[in-house]
């Protein structure tokens, strides 16, 4: 997939009603210029994206047009993406799988490692904005320290992604500093259809601090739909998220092929906007 294919790729991907816009796919192509693919028969009918963070390959946006499903196109796209990610030297390939995608990934050897609850919130004009006192705006120069914590939890350096995300909406990025140093951060950005929230990370045992980070980023969002995902076993994150006005929720699975990425520290990862999105 090349940059000029974006409109075609979006037509295919958005058949699912996912509402992606050019910047999200463009970001994938900026990070991994050769890692996204279209399946073109008589016309383009399938798409898949990938990005590499050191030893971890991430798969995103796998869609096949409804009219041609069940003919092996999904399988062909996934096999091609796996081959590409292996050629890039990754030892784990991860995906956040929908219920519909799960059987296909399972057939390729992916194993379910975690449940991730995806949520859309609707922030109305009358939504009370919750106070925060400890988080302060993140600066560009903080990104190195932020990516160090992010890397410890994620298992690989994602500086390039965090740098792009920061530049998109710096005013929605906050950090929390304690006597021990940087202890949490939250990043959000404006999209064409609303807002994406994540990554949202906080050192363990600091429920109140995590909530303040969420409030800080939400204070920078206007009215609209906010998308984020939460590890279901981080009970604190799920409880905090339940305070926001829910629009839609669905369950997905973190599936992994190759070296396990069991993310033992999900109590510190409060929110993600999907691994390919932050
Ligand atoms: C998931 C999806 C990409 C599969 O595409 P597809 O072209 O229909 O899949 P294929 O025809 O290549 O099927 C490959 C294998 O997976 C199996 N499979 C695919 N979808 C399945 C389903 N919903 N339930 C059970 N098995 C399924 C097929 O039986 C086939 O197995 P086989 O090789 O043993 O016959 C397609 O259904 C889709 O676009 N879904 C909506 C978007 C989505 O949820 N994407 C996944 C994002 S994580």
């Amino acid at each position: 997939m090349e940059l000029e294919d974006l409109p075609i790729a979006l037509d295919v991907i958005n058949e699912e009603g996912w509402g992606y816009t050019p910047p999200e796919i463009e970001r994938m192509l900026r990070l991994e210029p050769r890692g996204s693919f279209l399946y073109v028969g008589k016309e383009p009918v399938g798409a898949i994206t990938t990005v590499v963070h050191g030893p971890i390959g991430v798969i995103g946006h796998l869609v096949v047009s409804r009219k041609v499903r069940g003919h092996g196109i999904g399988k062909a796209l996934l096999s091609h993406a796996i081959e590409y990610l292996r050629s890039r030297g990754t030892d784990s390939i991860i995906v956040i799988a929908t219920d519909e995608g799960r059987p296909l990934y399972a057939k390729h050897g992916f194993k379910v490692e975690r449940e991730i609850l995806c949520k859309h919130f609707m922030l109305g004009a009358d939504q009370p904005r919750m106070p925060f006192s400890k988080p302060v705006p993140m600066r560009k120069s903080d990104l190195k320290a932020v990516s160090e914590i992010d890397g410890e939890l994620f298992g690989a350096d994602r500086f390039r992604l965090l740098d792009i995300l920061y530049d998109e909406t710096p005013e929605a990025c906050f950090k929390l500093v304690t006597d021990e140093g940087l202890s949490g951060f939250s990043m959000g950005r404006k999209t064409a259809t609303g807002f994406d929230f994540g990554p949202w990370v906080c050192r363990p045992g600091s429920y109140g601090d995590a909530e303040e980070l969420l409030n800080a980023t939400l204070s920078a969002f206007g009215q609209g739909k906010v998308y984020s995902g939460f590890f279901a076993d981080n009970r604190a994150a799920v409880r905090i998220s339940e305070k926001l006005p829910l629009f839609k929720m669905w369950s997905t699975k973190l599936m992994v092929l190759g070296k396990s990425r069991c993310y033992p520290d999900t109590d510190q990862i409060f929110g993600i906007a999907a691994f390919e999105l932050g």
Side-chain angles (χ1 to χ4, degrees):
M1 192 190 297
E2 307 283 341
L3 269 176
E4 71 226 35
D5 299 320
L6 270 184
I8 297 171
L10 280 167
D11 280 353
V12 174
I13 292 167
N14 283 335
E15 252 192 55
E16 272 315 291
W18 286 346
Y20 283 109
T21 54
E24 284 101 35
I25 311 296
E26 219 176 293
R27 202 191 284 145
M28 301 299 283
L29 291 173
R30 266 177 78 189
L31 288 166
E32 202 63 35
R34 314 229 60 82
S36 293
F37 308 97
L38 278 176
Y39 189 100
V40 185
K42 282 189 193 131
E43 55 185 285
V45 287
I48 193 165
T49 64
T50 72
V51 60
V52 174
H53 300 293
I56 304 181
V58 183
I59 286 182
H61 310 102
L62 170 60
V63 178
V64 171
S65 279
R66 284 176 194 277
K67 52 186 186 274
V68 291
R69 284 187 192 163
H71 292 94
I73 296 173
K75 196 168 158 179
L77 280 164
L78 182 58
S79 304
H80 195 70
I82 292 171
E83 204 178 301
Y84 171 80
L85 289 171
R86 287 197 171 132
S87 78
R88 294 275 281 109
T90 59
D91 59 15
S92 289
I93 301 179
I94 67 176
V95 66
I96 294 183
T98 58
D99 284 347
E100 221 175 324
R102 200 146 28 112
L104 177 57
Y105 294 112
K107 280 193 174 151
H108 280 78
F110 284 77
K111 302 260 182 310
V112 172
E113 295 208 344
R114 280 286 194 283
E115 180 184 11
I116 295 175
L117 297 173
C118 298
K119 296 191 180 190
H120 269 142
F121 307 103
M122 192 55 86
L123 296 183
D126 52 355
Q127 169 74 25
R129 297 304 153 114
M130 303 307 284
F132 63 93
S133 57
K134 294 187 202 161
V136 293
M138 191 191 287
R139 284 170 304 172
K140 186 97 169 154
S141 55
D142 295 318
L143 278 175
K144 196 171 171 300
V146 164
S147 73
E148 272 164 21
I149 294 185
D150 179 87
E152 274 171 36
L153 297 172
F154 177 73
D157 181 1
R158 298 198 301 168
F159 181 87
R160 286 189 317 142
L161 171 65
L162 299 179
D163 192 40
I164 292 175
L165 297 179
Y166 179 87
D167 285 345
E168 288 182 19
T169 316
E171 65 276 18
C173 299
F174 286 83
K175 65 176 177 178
L176 201 139
V177 181
T178 59
D179 292 344
E180 285 86 53
L182 184 68
S183 68
F185 59 90
S186 56
M187 298 178 79
R189 61 223 141 260
K190 181 144 186 43
T191 67
T193 53
F195 307 92
D196 280 349
F197 178 59
W200 172 31
V201 163
C202 201
R203 291 299 195 192
S206 44
Y207 180 99
D209 288 352
E211 192 166 4
E212 286 219 355
L213 280 164
L214 169 77
N215 293 344
T217 290
L218 291 187
S219 74
F221 290 169
Q223 213 176 314
K225 209 155 66 173
V226 179
Y227 169 73
S228 197
F230 309 92
F231 281 98
D233 53 9
N234 183 336
R235 301 309 305 162
V238 173
R239 255 182 293 135
I240 296 171
S241 75
E242 283 165 355
K243 296 183 182 179
L244 296 171
L246 186 66
F247 176 71
K248 190 175 160 197
M249 176 170 88
W250 65 102
S251 164
T252 57
K253 301 287 186 298
L254 168 68
M255 295 184 81
V256 182
L257 176 67
K259 188 174 166 197
S260 165
R261 296 283 163 188
C262 57
Y263 294 105
D265 298 324
T266 46
D267 59 330
Q268 297 181 46
I269 305 171
F270 278 71
I272 56 168
F275 285 108
E276 72 277 19
L277 301 174

